[in-house]
Amino acid sequence: MSSTNPTPLYLGMAMWSHKNWQQSIFAGETDKLAAYGRVFNTVEGNTTFYATPSSQSVLNWRDAVTDDFRFTFKLPQTITHQMQLQNCSKELNEFLHIMSPLAEKTGVWKIQLPAAFGPDSLYLLEQLLDAMPAGFHSGVEVRHPAFFAKGDAERALNRLLMEKNADRIIIDTRPVFAAPPDSEAVIDAHQKKPRVPVHAIATSDSPVVRFIGHPELEANDAFFTPWLTKLSDWIEEGRRPFLFVHTPDNALAPELAIRLLSQLQQHQPQLASVTLASAQPVPQMSLL
């Protein structure tokens, strides 16, 4: 993904490697991350949620992408789900120390909280945000219903994020829940993805949108239409949104990303020069 101007939008997938992307992205290349990074300019680094990588893996990831690429990495589930942010200073420092070589290429450090993490625990989130090193930008994804009720709890959350210059991660699962549960991938997505309201609020400069798409690509258009205006507004305000595109099994996520970017380009002039181009001239990855 390239542009002649500073990047107005970060666009990527939930992963940088998928068996179905062999023709659309990789074209026989062995370094999957490097090949992915020539097409997209960000990725959701979900692997760190399950295990902290080795120091060598961190260096390999750093060296595989260009300086304008931006990772997003989830804090480990030991911190967010098992410890629920309590007495986790040691674990946080150890994780960030391992990941530090990637600091300059990481746009958002993602704090995904479980549904059990409610309003009474906001003080723990405040402590964690205060503990993040200077220059480490945080994004927070919540699941507790109170944070979507437009009441005191949600206002307190949004106020905290604004005070700490952290972004509220927005997950839009409307498209995938509109799909009938007639495939294993959709059934799995219905079981695992949160069905929460879409509250499109920017609490800092890098709003994060996770768009969980319908398996039929054209069925996503109606759901994405409101994002054309919202993303454009954020760009006009000088923010740099992150848009992560999913499909139920992510096999067609690159094709959906191309479709959505094309719609955004028609709506937002600043995106006219942005192109997606793979290392090989594979037709299905071309917007030209």
Side-chain angles (χ1 to χ4, degrees), residues 184-214:
E184 183 178 341
V186 172
I187 292 171
D188 185 64
H190 285 187
Q191 292 173 344
K192 294 180 179 178
K193 301 299 183 185
R195 196 168 191 172
V196 294
V198 180
H199 289 186
I201 179 173
T203 57
S204 187
D205 295 331
S206 301
V208 179
V209 178
R210 301 179 62 218
F211 187 85
I212 318 298
H214 193 289

Side-chain angles (χ1 to χ4, degrees), residues 54-187:
S54 68
S55 298
Q56 188 59 54
S57 291
V58 169
L59 295 176
N60 292 343
W61 296 347
R62 180 197 65 187
D63 296 341
V65 295
T66 60
D67 289 343
D68 58 356
F69 187 93
R70 290 295 177 268
F71 292 93
T72 70
F73 287 112
K74 284 185 182 178
L75 266 59
Q77 61 180 338
T78 52
I79 294 173
T80 57
H81 285 58
Q82 296 171 17
M83 306 179 77
Q84 295 201 26
L85 311 189
Q86 299 183 69
N87 303 315
C88 60
S89 297
K90 176 176 177 291
E91 289 77 8
L92 177 66
N93 291 334
E94 289 176 349
F95 171 71
L96 294 179
H97 176 71
I98 290 289
M99 301 297 293
S100 60
L102 274 164
E104 292 187 359
K105 292 184 178 181
T106 301
V108 181
W109 298 91
K110 299 170 71 174
I111 305 166
Q112 180 181 297
L113 298 171
F117 190 96
D120 291 342
S121 299
L122 278 180
Y123 74 97
L124 294 170
L125 176 59
E126 181 175 9
Q127 291 175 5
L128 182 75
L129 293 173
D130 285 340
M132 294 294 289
F136 280 51
H137 186 77
S138 299
V140 179
E141 182 178 320
V142 293
R143 304 285 177 90
H144 194 286
F147 294 133
F148 297 89
K150 298 185 177 180
D152 291 343
E154 183 168 12
R155 284 190 288 270
L157 169 67
N158 292 338
R159 185 167 55 249
L160 171 63
L161 297 179
M162 291 177 184
E163 290 173 353
K164 302 302 179 183
N165 195 33
D167 277 291
R168 179 169 180 173
I169 296 173
I170 305 153
I171 182 167
D172 188 350
T173 56
R174 296 172 303 161
V176 74
F177 279 107
D182 55 6
S183 71
E184 183 178 341
V186 172
I187 292 171

Side-chain angles (χ1 to χ4, degrees), residues 25-27 29 35 38-39 277-282:
I25 295 180
F26 302 137
E29 295 198 34
R38 285 191 283 271
V39 180
S278 64
Q280 303 293 328
V282 182

